[in-house]
Amino acid sequence: MSGSTLTTTAGTLTSGTLNTTGTLTLSGSTTTGGSTSLSGSTIANTGSLNISSSTLTLNYGTLDTTFITNGIPGSLSPSTTGIFAGSIVNDFQPGNLLTSQVGSMFTLIRSGLNSVLFGSHHRTLLDNGMDNTGSGFWASGDYARHHGNSTNASVGEFGFYRDVGSLRLGLGAGANQARQTLALGGSGRLNSRYVLLESDYRSPASGWVGSATAYWGSSTATLARGYMNGVTPELSTGDATGSSWAVRLRGDWGDLATLAGLTVSPYLSYTHAASRLNGYTETGGALPLTYSSMNQISREIRAGVTLLSHLSEQTDLRFPLELTHRENGSATVIVAVNPLFSFPMSNPGNKQNWGRAGIELDHRLDAQTVLNGATILSTLGGDSSWLATISLKHAF
């Protein structure tokens, strides 16, 4: 069958091979004793599909509502094998793990990392709005919203820095939270703790600044997966742990030129990040699943420029502009329906490009203290749709 609909009632569907690129609708208990191959198809199952001593291959299709039953909901006979590159109960998307429910945990982990490195730390420690040298501390808070994946993230951090010759060394620690709204009543919640190290070097001759930043975070997450079991909405919940680390290398050319009364300072950075989600098992609902651990690596390059206007001796106005290119590596997770049946879901990786623009204000309360606030907007991509950050820095 090709591009058509096949509807069955109770009985035997086929004893040979069924190939369809259309829709297979089951309203009763249906048995196939051969090989069933569905390409780009939908199984709308309000009854049960009993596959006896055969192979079911679902390539880039959707298995909707009841999973596959062999007398017991959600189970397969021991002699049955299955290969799935499509969707299961409105959960996975074919060939794109990162848009699936389990992929939302990676979204949450990465949202926290991005909010730290490219929120209050979108500038180096040497670029803090003061000319002081010696030692100091900072306290910052960020709030971000990503409309594309319905995620909110917040970050709080405290840190200390010290100058050693031409180097500025900083150590920060903080916590972040992320919340995501998912389809069919599902949700994701993540809480993380992290540490951050930064080393900045300013060339005495040119004023060029080289920076290296390292981030490591540990997370706990809860994911509620919503799906339909026939006409009944279901919710299965899982708790997982995860971690992430990143290294960013950056070069800044401060005060390189002047344009229309604005000081122009370009920069370029490279970030290598890795995230890990440990395996977990869901509970509750009609179809709880078990997921294996999963890892993903990403690499990105950011090129930007900051335009600065000195409003007064105490206040500077900045306009950061930035372009980003990211390459996300492949990721694979093994999903188990029960001890007798499991299958891999893979994302082959992808590339993303997006831009950001913002407005930022530095106000020096005195010679040793500066208050900073910024709002940054982003096109659709790997960063939050908008981000607000505020920080207080004090030198002593």
Side-chain angles (χ1 to χ4, degrees), residues 239-301:
D239 295 320
T241 59
S243 61
S244 59
W245 63 265
V247 175
R248 183 183 69 188
L249 303 177
R250 174 170 167 157
D252 286 68
W253 291 262
D255 303 338
L256 185 66
T258 301
L259 178 65
L262 300 174
T263 301
V264 180
S265 301
Y267 62 88
L268 182 68
S269 73
Y270 170 78
T271 304
H272 183 100
S275 300
R276 175 179 175 83
L277 176 65
N278 296 318
Y280 68 99
T281 298
E282 295 176 331
T283 58
L287 185 65
L289 302 175
T290 297
Y291 304 91
S292 70
S293 60
M294 184 167 53
N295 299 277
Q296 188 185 42
I297 292 175
S298 66
R299 304 171 182 87
E300 68 179 43
I301 296 175

Side-chain angles (χ1 to χ4, degrees), residues 216-242:
W216 184 86
S218 177
S219 307
T220 59
T222 298
L223 178 68
R225 178 174 59 90
Y227 55 95
M228 296 298 296
N229 179 25
V231 295
T232 304
E234 299 281 356
L235 204 65
S236 295
T237 303
D239 295 320
T241 59

Side-chain angles (χ1 to χ4, degrees), residues 143-147 150-153 179 181 383-387:
Y143 186 83
R145 168 70 178 176
H146 197 302
H147 294 299
S150 302
T151 301
N152 298 323
R179 300 290 183 266
T181 301
D383 282 330
S384 301
S385 305
W386 61 265
L387 177 145

